[in-house]
Each structure stands twice: as structure tokens, then as C-alpha cells.
Amino acid sequence: MLKGLVNTLSGKNGDVKKIKGKVVLMNKNVLDFNDFGGSLLNNLHELVGQSVTLLIAKNIHAGNKLKGKVGKAAGLERWITTIPSLKPGDSTYEVTFDWDEEIGIPGAFLIKNSHFTEFFLKTLTLEGVPGHEHAPIHFVCNSWVYPSNKYKSDRIFFSNQAYLPSQTPPPLVPYREEELLVLQGDGTGELKEWDRVYDYAYYNDLGNPDIFKESARPVLGGSSQYPYPRRGRTGRPPTRTDPNTESRIPLVMSLDIYVPRDERFGHLKQSDFLGYGLKSITQFLLPTLTDLSATFSNEFKSFEDVLQIYEGGFKLPEGPLLENLFNNVPSELFEQILPRDDEGFFKYPMPDIIKADKTAWRTDEEFAREMVAGKNPVNISRLQEFPPKTNLDTQLYGNQSCKITWDHIKNEVDGLTLEEALETNRLFILNHHDSLMPYLRRINSTTTKMYATRTLLFLQNDGSLKPLAIELSLPHPDGDEHGAVSQVYTPAEDGVEGSIWQLAKAYVGVSDSGLHELISHWLNTHAAIEPVVIATNRHLSVMHPIHKLLYPHFRDTMNINALARQVLVSAGGIIEEIIFPGQYAMELSSLIYKDWIFPDQALPADLLKRGMAVEDPNSPHGIRLVMEDYPYAVDGLKIWSAINTWVDEYCNVYYPSDEAVMEDTELQSWWKEIREKGHGDKKDAPWWPKMHTRKDLIHSCTIIIWTASALHAAINFGQYPYGGYMPNHPTVSRQLMPEPGSKDYELLKTDPDKVFLKTIMSRLQMLLGVAVIEILSRHASDEIYLGQRDTPVWTKDEEALAAFERFGKELGGVEKKIMEMNGDGKWKNRVGPAKMPYTLLYPTSEEGLTGRGIPNSTSI
């Protein structure tokens, strides 16, 4: 039953007229793998008169407020005869309702679903409403509507007209307030799939102590020892063993983890394969490959052997293990996680890093280039003092000072003195020492053998970087308080020294890959954004202009995060299998979250903090890069500026003054909850914007959009192009540097590649890693990119629509500029020795593995 509400009344009676409308929806059988049973039951319900109907409303007094009163019902027409396509698509139904002068212009409608199953309601459009004949009235819904017995009250949807709370038409105010209360829930009980509750919880669902003690994981969030952003609450009961740990869903049911239904993947599309793919990798592919590794060598013999994964392909032995894969994984999905050719050879797409040149990845220039134009270009910093200092507590960790001396590097800096090299901004560092050292002893107690790393680099006259020295450090064997034991390595090309240098670079790659996945990717985008998604739905009505601004940047984030907690970052999950911190991975991310600062997530602030830019009011973005050929920063600043301009123009449509920001009750509640609950372990930090001015609002929203869209794209979609060939970015090291006199040191003289491959990942780990990042690096077929919306009528406000159109044109200009710079040989870092253009911040893309494209949201 659909019931309309109005926001205006003439107060007069008049002749009854007919108003036509169109409802666009998708049935469950379209979206949920052809649920024919549910569709049949819907038809049976229709035959006994339980239809979906629309009602227009009148106004009555509700206490001291006006509240819309529902009027005469009008049913959806041809519900049975309008047959939904068996492929994903829309079904359109007509509706005709009575209208008289007393009704006015509808501002909302109520819906009651008397059918057996849910459907996905997309839009309602009303044509020819008296007083509004010049244009249709649009209601953009995009929501699952379950049978009415699943709800305590009817569902309500508002028109696409944005209102600040104080400007809301009086008849709509109670409905606006009641809808937010529904979304907030009461904080109790286990939540079910039809619930629409957005609430907070700690990360207390990563371990499963009921299985065995080693599966326990600490609760992240709510303590000074393990601070963390909050996740969405599910309300599942605690484990039997530990009342502070939430019970887990068995893996066979892993896709049923609760998130509000509108946050779940709704369409049968490429992104739906993601959840099933990760589940299948964990449940079927991992144990199968583990068992099969006993039947063939788990070690690669050479780099040519590694290339067989992509070129000639490899065969898995026929038998019950392989048959188990075929029987349990749908064929379409199987081709995604373990593709094979017509002859039965399994092979993966050729990663871009080795498409044009199979060995360029090993050069020092490419090693350095990827720090500014690779999959993790957000950690390099300018060296402003030498030697670099540590921030670790000397009482706990002793002397952690860098052991790289001027004598190590002075002959490779074009004749500059130390002072000249620092003053002219020619020295840079990739510093993964302080992040890793506190956990390194525990990490190395497992099968992983790893170092904390510091890498010094020099900016050459042609704009490219070259590595000067690498420091590899271990905790002191007598205890952390005794400091670090460090070894410094410098570039070499030939002999054992050249092979040692290649291994040193590999250890840097391992440390960078782990911190990329756990910090740059998971913590700083996925985990940091989820509390904002929750707070937005709890406190900003869908009518609120800031809700309309941010809504597309939250698409599928809660769902992919829930899947990640179930199969990726949980105890024994994929991340623990293929990333070097292993069982300490999430603990390590909690340690680094202690240094997370919201304003520093702004790209200009991040570049300034890392010393990669200096303030310059005469430069386009108010800052000047100290390294002109820094592709991530150059492209990123263009995207940041476009987002900032768009947000500025949009917010100024609705907030004429700072007072309007201060007086917006929903906005203030939203920001308060982000600080005090969503990022509650940071609630007392002095750096939070006060949200007292338009500047606060614009800057905060720009950071949120940048993080959810462009930053995530720059970090995520390069995983396969750069890291799909895992010798380039290994994620695990299994042994330490060979010592002189050891067997492996002698082997370096005759077969250095074997030692290299023996040091990094096994065949099993590499196949598993490639399968995972290949899925995570793909664009969905119906992806919506930055500067795009799922509907052109997302708002009624012409000023906002015009500003959004300008935003899209600005991004189109950025695309052209990126391609121009990639074609200009002046910019050495944009293509590099691997002949791989930097396109990760190119705004749009096609479906699949493209290495480009900025989706609106953190959805994969």
C-alpha cells in the first residue's frame, strides 16, 4: 500500500481529478538469483486482494504539529501482467489516484507491501499534479521494501526537494523525525535482514575463541590500548568463551552478516561476485590449493616458472579436490577466481607491470618510481633532517636511530653537500621503521621473518628518484629496551652484492605491501569511512542537503566492510594468510590508528605533513610540490580541487551564513556523533573541526568525499596492475637476509633467483594472493564514477544541479590533462621503465581490470 503525504494545502474542496504516476521497482526474483517461488507467492497474494496501493494525503493536527493524513488508496496497475525480466532490469507500473484541491502538492508518501517477499523500490514519478503541471514530482527511493509484517510502521519516502530541518514543511516534520528514530534503533537485540538500523559496535567480531585459543583476537575500539573506528552493529550474541567477543556466523553462511538491507549489494552484477568470490576462495580454493601443494612443488624454481601463472598457464591435477571446486563454486564465479583457457590451463590476466617489459620491475628506477606513482604513493616523505629520527619511546625500545650515515650516500648525490641536499629538497625517505618495530618481535615469532625498513632516495635532475640506501632492522635479541640491530645496504648491480641489493628491495616491498593493505587501504579508507556512513543515516534525513551530497559516496561500503570482517581480516582470514603481519595484522592497524588525525586526511594537509609540499599562496591549490613530477599528488590535487569547488558551491546553495550551519540541528548531531561515537576513541582530540562555520562544513565534506572516492581509488585499483605480479610487490617474507657462510649465501653466487623466490612467497601464497587482488581490483559493470549520479533527478534544486554539471566538466578536463602528461616524455615518473602510464586517478573507466577510474564510494 502506498500512501501519499502533502506539504501544502489549499483548504478548499473541489472537483476530483485523476493524477497519473509511475512506479519503478525490481522484484526479488530479478535481484536475488531468480527467486521464482517468491514471485509465485506474490501472484497468489494479488489474487486475494493484497495489492500495493498508493494514497494521497490530507493534513490533520498531530499535537502541536501538522501531520499528513492518508487518503484514498490507488493500486499499482498490471502487477501480474507486467512480467519482470529474468535479467536485471526495471519494471514499471502505473498508478492512478484521485486528487482534489484540498490535497495540494505531495511531499512524501507511505508504502505498505502486502506481498510475500520484498522488492527494490527505485522511484515514484507523479505527472500533471495541479499546481505543479510544469514538471513531474520525483521521489527517488532506492530502497528494499519488505512485507509489512516486518515493520512496526509503514515505510515513508520523500520527494527530491532538499530541506534543512528548520525549513521543512510542517506536515512533514513528524515523519522526518520519526524516520530518523527508526534508523537509529533502540540499541538492543540481534538485527535481522529487514531491519534498517544503523548503530555502532567495536571490532569484537574478528576472533572465534570458541574454536581454539589461537583464534582469539583482541577487541579493537573502546580502549587506549586498542583504539579503532567503530563498525556497524549486528547484535549477535557473545561467544561462550569470551563475553566481550561477538559470535561469528559459520563460513557457509558468510554472506548473511547483517548490514542494513539498503547497504547490501542489490544487483546481480560484477560486484556481487565479490562477496561470493572471497567466500569461495576461503572456503574452497584455499584448502584445495593447500592439499594440492602436497602433489606438486610449493616453491617456484625461477621467474619463468612464476610467469607461467599468466602466460602458459598451469594445470591442477584432476581428481576429487578439483571436483570439489567445480561442485561448490558457480561456473561464472569460478572463471573469476581461477580463470582457465580452452585447454584447461589455469591462468591469470597479465599484470600491467610486466606487459611491456618482463624485467623492468627489478630496476632501481622503477622501484623508486612506484613510491610516487604506484599502488601506495602516500607514504614517501621529504627528508628534512639527517639522519632521520625515530618517534619511538626510548624507554620501551631503546636506541632506534637510523644507522645510515653520510658516508653511505655522499658519492651518489651529484656532488652536493649534506646541507645542500637538504636545503634543495633532494633527499626523500620511505620510512616503515617506527610502524613495524613495536610488533616485529611478535611477527617474527611466526613463520614470517621480516624487518623494519628505511629507504633513502635522491631526486635527480630529470625528476626521477634513485634509491641511495636501505636499512633493515630487527629487535635486539636481548630485549626491545636494548634497541634495534640494523644493517645498511647500498645499490649494487653485479655478483652477490647485486643479489643482496635485490633482496633488500624485496624486504622494503614486503613492508610497504603490508602497510598498504592494512593502513593506506583498510584503515584510512574502509574503516575510517564506515562511522561516517552510520552517523549520516542516523542523523541526516534523506531530505537533508548534506545527506544528498554524501549519499553516493557511501554505496556498498558497510557491506564490503562486513564481508571483509568475515573472510578477509578475521582470525585465519585471507589477509592473515597472505600479508606478513599474519595474526597481528589488525592489532598493528590499531597501533597506527593512534596517529590518525581527521584534518590530515585532506590531500593538501597530507602533502604538507609529509614535507612533499610547502605552503604557497601563489600556487593553484595554495601549496607547491617540492617534487614536481609526483603523479599521485599532481593528479590528486586536481581531483581534490574539483571536489572542493563542487562542495563549496553546493553548500552555499543551502547555507547563506555560518549561523545557518550552527543552527542546523541535524548537522550538529551528525558531527557530534562522528566525533564522540564513530571515532569515539578520538573524541577528545583538539584537532576536530568545530562545525561552526561554512568553512568547517565544506572542508569536512571534501575530506569525506575525497577519502571515499579518489583516495580509495588511488590505493585500491593499482593492486593487480602493480602487485598482481607478486615478485614486484611481495606481501610475505619467509626468511631473513642470507648471512655470509650460509648455504643460501653460497647459492646467491649460482642461482640468486632461487634464493629470491625462496625468501618471498610460496606458490600457494602467491596463487591465493593473486586470486584475491584480482577480484579486488575490478570495476563493476554498473559502477558509478565521481561526477556521476544514479539518476539525473537526485535533487530538485536547479542551482545544485548546475554546480554538479560544472563538477563533471571539470573532471573531464582532468582526464584530458592526465593523458597529455602521460604522453609527455618530460615527466619521467608518469610512465617509467615498465612503460606503464599512471592512470589510477583518471576519473572514469570501463568494466574490469583497467587500472583507472574513481568510483564514487569505497565499495570494493
Side-chain angles (χ1 to χ4, degrees), residues 215-508:
S215 288
R217 295 293 181 269
V219 175
L220 305 184
S223 69
S224 59
Q225 183 180 6
Y226 297 117
Y228 220 64
R230 304 301 188 256
R231 61 159 175 104
R233 186 179 78 85
T234 69
R236 294 197 303 268
T239 60
R240 298 186 305 274
T241 309
D242 180 6
N244 294 319
T245 296
E246 184 174 279
S247 59
R248 293 179 57 77
I249 297 174
L251 185 59
V252 294
M253 301 170 59
S254 65
L255 298 187
D256 294 328
I257 185 170
Y258 172 80
V259 292
R261 187 64 181 91
D262 292 347
E263 302 297 329
R264 296 185 65 172
F265 299 142
H267 307 268
L268 186 57
K269 59 176 183 178
Q270 182 69 48
S271 61
D272 285 308
F273 285 125
L274 172 64
Y276 292 96
L278 295 177
K279 174 186 173 184
S280 297
I281 287 172
T282 304
Q283 188 174 353
F284 300 113
L285 184 59
L286 175 57
T288 300
L289 290 177
T290 302
D291 289 340
L292 288 172
S293 67
T295 67
F296 57 86
S297 173
N298 197 30
E299 300 296 332
F300 291 107
K301 298 176 182 179
S302 65
F303 288 115
E304 289 74 20
D305 197 12
V306 177
L307 286 173
Q308 289 302 306
I309 297 175
Y310 318 99
E311 290 183 327
F314 60 97
K315 277 203 172 185
L316 298 179
E318 299 292 336
L321 292 173
L322 191 59
E323 186 176 336
N324 183 50
L325 273 177
F326 286 119
N327 290 340
N328 287 285
V329 181
S331 58
E332 299 91 344
L333 178 58
F334 193 96
E335 291 303 316
Q336 294 289 327
I337 64 174
L338 201 59
R340 61 178 181 164
D341 62 19
D342 294 338
E343 298 180 2
F345 283 87
F346 296 97
K347 65 172 67 174
Y348 287 96
M350 185 72 70
D352 290 355
I353 190 65
I354 54 172
K355 275 185 178 178
D357 190 317
K358 297 296 186 291
T359 61
W361 65 274
R362 303 196 76 174
T363 64
D364 287 358
E365 183 180 346
E366 182 62 28
F367 169 73
R369 181 188 86 94
E370 292 182 27
M371 298 179 194
V372 294
K375 70 171 187 176
N376 193 29
V378 296
N379 285 326
I380 189 172
S381 59
R382 176 166 54 96
L383 193 61
Q384 300 182 57
E385 57 181 353
F386 186 89
K389 292 185 178 179
T390 179
N391 292 320
L392 293 176
D393 187 343
T394 57
Q395 295 294 317
L396 296 175
Y397 300 105
N399 181 9
Q400 295 287 334
S401 60
C402 183
K403 303 304 189 295
I404 300 175
T405 67
W406 179 243
D407 285 341
H408 284 120
I409 65 175
K410 65 182 181 182
N411 294 330
E412 300 296 329
V413 293
D414 292 355
L416 297 176
T417 66
L418 174 59
E419 291 74 18
E420 290 170 338
L422 291 171
E423 289 174 3
T424 56
N425 303 323
R426 303 290 290 277
L427 294 178
F428 295 82
I429 184 171
L430 184 69
N431 194 340
H432 293 322
H433 181 93
D434 287 6
S435 298
L436 296 180
M437 186 57 73
Y439 269 85
L440 198 54
R441 188 180 302 278
R442 278 169 282 183
I443 291 170
N444 284 354
S445 69
T446 68
T447 56
T448 294
K449 299 296 178 279
M450 186 52 197
Y451 297 95
T453 66
R454 292 182 176 113
T455 306
L456 263 59
L457 306 107
F458 179 69
L459 179 61
Q460 302 183 103
N461 291 327
D462 66 358
S464 65
L465 291 166
K466 73 173 181 180
L468 298 174
I470 293 172
E471 179 195 61
L472 303 180
S473 301
L474 292 169
H476 197 284
D478 294 335
D480 289 349
E481 68 276 12
H482 294 283
V485 177
S486 304
Q487 182 70 40
V488 177
Y489 301 89
T490 54
E493 294 184 4
D494 302 318
V496 173
E497 291 78 11
S499 300
I500 291 288
W501 174 245
Q502 290 295 331
L503 282 173
K505 291 193 295 181
Y507 290 118
V508 173

Side-chain angles (χ1 to χ4, degrees), residues 10-16 58 100-103:
S10 66
K12 299 178 181 179
N13 292 320
D15 296 334
V16 174
K58 304 176 182 179
D100 60 39
E101 292 183 3
E102 186 183 30
I103 289 176

